[in-house]
Amino acid sequence: MDLHQVQISYETDQDRLLIKFAFIDAENEKKRQEIKVHFTRRITLQFWPTVLEAMTKQISLNKPAAAHASHDIVQMQHEASVSQMLQSGGFDTPYESESDTWPMGKLPLLPKTIHFQMQANHPLKIEFNLPDGTGFEIAMGERALHGFCKLLQDAVAKADWGFELEMPGATQEPIPAHLLN
């Protein structure tokens, strides 16, 4: 099954983010699966720096010569991926909730831990581990991962949890005047 769509919304009554991952069968596009995950404020605060670290490590693996600039590259990739998705209408496509199966059940899962697996020139894998010892893994290529991050940023802004999710290099501090010359 291939990742087809992601939707992230804020559930006011639970004070959680609801993340829906939709998958389609590459051979039969009518066969769809869905996995739902809840992110609490705490999980989100732990997830964000870890996903950023995983993305910078992925760049070091893919382009060892550029390892020194991996934070800047993550920022540039994010801007380019989000721009491409905006131009292609990727964020405007309605979420298709016509799933046939829910391999992890219909109710949203609350992960206990989230781990990342990185391998040179392969999609980043996100492993969601549940309290009962089960879990699932999702592979995301560069564009899908940055799209997911943008959706997460927007959902956190709507949740009004008192923090923002920023990409590395997104907030450049001004250079003090005495260092300009």
Side-chain angles (χ1 to χ4, degrees):
M1 296 299 261
D2 296 324
L3 183 62
H4 174 61
Q5 282 185 308
V6 178
Q7 180 187 55
I8 305 177
S9 58
Y10 175 63
E11 292 187 326
T12 309
D13 57 328
Q14 300 236 357
D15 194 29
R16 294 179 178 180
L17 301 179
L18 175 62
I19 304 171
K20 295 179 183 179
F21 296 103
F23 303 89
I24 58 170
D25 189 325
E27 296 173 9
N28 179 3
E29 289 190 17
K30 292 182 180 181
K31 186 175 181 185
R32 299 176 186 270
Q33 293 183 350
E34 183 179 75
I35 297 176
K36 298 177 186 177
V37 178
H38 269 146
F39 267 28
T40 61
R41 183 180 190 277
R42 180 185 61 80
I43 290 170
T44 305
L45 282 169
Q46 291 173 345
F47 177 82
W48 190 252
T50 310
V51 73
L52 294 179
E53 180 182 347
M55 288 191 292
T56 56
K57 283 183 182 177
Q58 186 71 39
I59 288 172
S60 297
L61 289 170
N62 292 347
K63 303 171 188 171
H68 67 284
S70 58
H71 287 287
D72 294 330
I73 293 171
V74 167
Q75 174 62 27
M76 289 186 294
Q77 286 177 341
H78 182 71
E79 289 173 5
S81 295
V82 169
S83 177
Q84 288 173 356
M85 293 183 93
L86 286 169
Q87 290 174 2
S88 68
F91 291 115
D92 296 328
T93 305
Y95 183 78
E96 299 169 13
S97 57
E98 308 155 359
S99 295
D100 300 317
T101 58
W102 294 263
M104 302 297 293
K106 284 189 177 185
L107 296 176
L109 307 167
L110 189 61
K112 180 179 179 183
T113 59
I114 302 170
H115 297 283
F116 296 88
Q117 296 177 20
M118 294 141 297
Q119 190 176 11
N121 302 312
H122 284 82
L124 185 75
K125 293 180 182 175
I126 305 173
E127 183 181 301
F128 295 86
N129 301 299
L130 306 175
D132 66 1
T134 63
F136 65 96
E137 180 181 279
I138 297 176
M140 288 191 193
E142 179 183 310
R143 187 171 170 192
L145 183 60
H146 285 287
F148 174 75
C149 288
K150 174 65 174 150
L151 292 173
L152 191 58
Q153 288 173 311
D154 292 348
V156 166
K158 285 181 184 174
D160 195 24
W161 282 339
F163 63 89
E164 290 181 31
L165 303 180
E166 295 184 2
M167 297 304 290
T171 54
Q172 299 280 337
E173 295 203 18
I175 300 171
H178 70 281
L179 295 178
L180 289 175
N181 295 332

